[in-house]
């Protein structure tokens, strides 16, 4: 994967890394992946295996990355009001980088998904709350419900399961985050039963929010065992599975992996836990990203050619600017070429002045 810059005003001062298979199908899906605290884009990808899976199933992956100047522990600021409101701070930076790669590479706007671990999971909840019209689905791993904290002390209290909004207030907070009045994204929710960093009560809070917007009952439609773990599924009135939860017995804080065997994916490490089930693979399946892919014959189309020109292979990362001007909007001069296309798209979407 390679770094992209110049993707908008970037008020949250985040970095962005992007991966696109060599010969993607027309209008490939996009998965946005948010790392946890103390991690970065490369380490989380190495552990989770998202680009490895993308190469096999022909979808793009975008990795927003926190900088130490924003947060000393490299956590996304999922509780800071200025970073978690629609069209401001880190939330807007992530929205801008999504728009930039969609425009540049002709990605499928109907198949944009987002996932994250811990603080990244909480920021995924932020993005799903603020931009539900943008995403077809989301996945939150050991994360927290949207709007549960607005200060550092509150954040630590919520992580430990202390205090927090009532069920009714949780549902109100999610609905009030945006003016959305259409269908909501599908949600996959993952939690370790022995997690003492972000305790299981937080998964219950996330579930309560999403049961409400999907008009679901508290009781699941069905319960099953997958790779020895409990999966609960909620279906909507049309019989479509819209919310699922995985509770991983005895697992602490981290992303569930299955690294061994012929179906192995990713690598175990800090907060990347080999517990015999691949959250990455199951989330992609829930989002319907693992269906057989029919590739085009002949040369790649224009979007693919642009990808090959702008983005180097994963083994040789390099910084890539979509434009040649400074990142901040107030320092930018007139745009041209692909830069102008991106800026026009950002302005049309109300993401840039």
């Amino acid at each position: 994967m390679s770094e992209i810059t110049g993707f908008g005003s970037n008020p949250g001062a985040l970095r962005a890394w992007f991966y696109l298979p060599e010969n993607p199908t027309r209008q490939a899906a996009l998965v946005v992946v948010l790392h946890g605290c103390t991690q970065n884009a490369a380490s989380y990808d190495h552990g989770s295996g998202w680009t490895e899976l993308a190469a096999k199933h022909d979808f793009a992956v975008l990795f927003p990355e926190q900088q130490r100047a924003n947060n000393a522990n490299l956590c996304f600021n999922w509780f800071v009001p200025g970073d978690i409101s629609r069209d401001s701070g880190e939330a807007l930076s992530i929205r801008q980088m999504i728009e930039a790669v969609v425009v540049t590479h002709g990605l499928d706007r109907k198949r944009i998904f987002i996932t994250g671990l811990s603080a990244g999971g909480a920021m995924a909840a932020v993005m799903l709350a603020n931009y539900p019209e943008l995403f077809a689905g989301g996945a939150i791993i050991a994360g927290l419900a949207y709007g549960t904290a607005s200060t550092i002390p509150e954040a630590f209290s919520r992580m430990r399961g202390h205090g927090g909004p009532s069920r009714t207030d949780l549902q109100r907070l999610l609905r009030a985050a945006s003016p959305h009045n259409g269908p909501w994204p599908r949600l996959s929710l993952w939690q370790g039963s022995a997690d003492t960093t972000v305790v299981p009560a937080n998964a219950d809070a996330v579930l309560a929010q999403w049961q409400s917007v999907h008009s679901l009952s508290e009781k699941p439609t069905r319960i099953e065992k997958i790779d020895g773990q409990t999966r609960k599924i909620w279906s909507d009135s049309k019989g479509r599975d819209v919310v699922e939860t995985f509770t991983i017995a005895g697992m602490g804080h981290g992303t569930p992996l299955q690294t061994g065997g012929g179906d192995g994916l990713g690598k175990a490490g800090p907060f990347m836990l080999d517990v015999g089930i691949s959250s990455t693979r199951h989330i992609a399946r829930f989002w319907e990203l693992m269906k057989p892919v029919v590739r085009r014959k002949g040369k790649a189309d224009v979007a693919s050619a642009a990808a090959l020109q702008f983005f180097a292979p994963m083994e040789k990362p390099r910084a890539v600017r979509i434009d040649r001007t400074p990142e901040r909007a107030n320092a930018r001069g007139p745009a041209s070429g692909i830069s102008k296309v991106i800026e026009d798209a950002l302005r049309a979407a109300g993401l840039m002045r």
Side-chain angles (χ1 to χ4, degrees):
M1 60 181 173
S2 300
E3 185 173 15
I4 61 171
T5 59
F7 48 79
S9 57
N10 191 16
L14 301 178
R15 298 179 73 181
W17 301 81
F18 184 69
Y19 172 81
L20 189 72
E22 282 192 3
N23 295 300
T25 56
R26 205 175 288 274
Q27 289 195 309
L30 173 66
V31 175
V32 183
V33 180
L34 300 166
H35 62 80
C37 298
T38 74
Q39 298 175 323
N40 58 27
S43 67
Y44 192 77
D45 180 47
H46 179 73
S48 63
W50 271 109
T51 58
E52 182 182 346
L53 195 67
K56 294 179 180 178
H57 293 280
D58 213 23
F59 57 86
V61 191
L62 172 67
F63 296 87
E65 185 178 80
Q66 185 59 281
Q67 299 196 72
R68 211 169 289 279
N70 300 329
N71 186 293
N73 293 315
L74 298 178
C75 309
F76 289 100
N77 289 309
W78 59 270
F79 54 88
V80 177
D83 283 310
I84 66 172
S85 299
R86 186 178 171 100
D87 295 345
S88 70
E90 292 180 9
L92 179 54
S93 289
I94 296 170
R95 176 67 183 91
Q96 288 178 335
M97 62 181 77
I98 291 171
E99 186 68 17
V101 297
V102 167
V103 170
T104 303
H105 301 288
L107 304 180
D108 189 347
R109 290 186 180 276
K110 295 182 179 179
R111 294 192 300 152
I112 301 175
F113 306 88
I114 190 165
T115 182
L117 165 67
S118 192
M123 186 55 77
V126 166
M127 296 302 296
L128 290 164
N130 282 285
Y131 304 101
E133 76 283 357
L134 177 65
F135 299 102
I140 297 171
I141 305 172
L144 297 97
Y146 173 74
T148 57
S150 58
T151 66
I152 291 176
E154 283 185 351
F156 280 110
S157 291
R158 304 301 177 261
M159 289 165 63
R160 298 179 182 121
H162 302 152
S166 66
R167 182 182 180 90
T168 300
D169 285 341
L170 282 168
Q171 295 168 352
R172 177 186 55 77
L173 284 164
L174 180 56
R175 290 183 180 277
S178 78
H180 183 62
N181 194 30
W184 286 78
R186 306 170 76 186
L187 184 72
S188 182
L189 181 60
W190 294 71
Q191 179 70 45
S193 68
D195 191 338
T196 57
T197 302
V198 178
V199 302
N202 289 288
D204 296 336
V206 176
L207 178 60
Q209 288 187 320
W210 287 84
Q211 285 173 329
S212 174
V213 294
H214 281 293
S215 300
L216 305 173
S217 66
E218 292 187 36
K219 183 179 180 180
T221 305
R222 65 185 188 276
I223 302 175
E224 58 190 28
K225 287 287 186 179
I226 302 290
D227 294 337
Q229 305 298 336
T230 301
R231 179 190 186 223
K232 297 181 180 179
I233 307 99
W234 283 260
S235 303
D236 63 15
S237 59
K238 297 180 181 179
R240 181 170 177 260
D241 295 345
V242 291
V243 174
E244 68 171 3
T245 66
F246 276 85
T247 302
I248 312 303
M251 190 184 79
H253 189 63
T255 293
L257 306 175
Q258 181 184 18
T259 63
D263 205 35
L265 184 68
K267 302 291 182 183
F271 309 115
M272 310 302 293
L273 309 178
D274 193 345
V275 291
I277 183 170
S278 171
S279 56
T280 302
R281 194 178 297 277
H282 283 290
I283 289 167
R285 186 172 291 119
F286 183 65
W287 291 340
E288 300 176 356
L289 292 178
M290 294 179 64
K291 292 180 178 180
V293 174
V294 178
R295 291 186 178 275
R296 299 188 314 279
K297 294 182 179 180
K299 294 183 179 180
D301 64 6
V302 175
S304 300
L308 294 174
Q309 177 183 355
F310 281 100
F311 297 98
M314 189 173 179
E315 292 79 10
K316 299 177 181 178
R318 61 184 175 87
V320 180
R321 291 193 63 85
I322 291 177
D323 63 14
R324 298 188 182 91
T325 55
E327 290 185 9
R328 294 295 179 179
N330 59 12
R332 302 172 77 88
S336 61
I338 190 65
S339 171
K340 186 177 188 305
V341 172
I342 293 170
E343 290 192 4
D344 287 347
L346 290 173
R347 290 191 182 94
L351 302 174
M352 186 174 176
R353 293 187 177 88

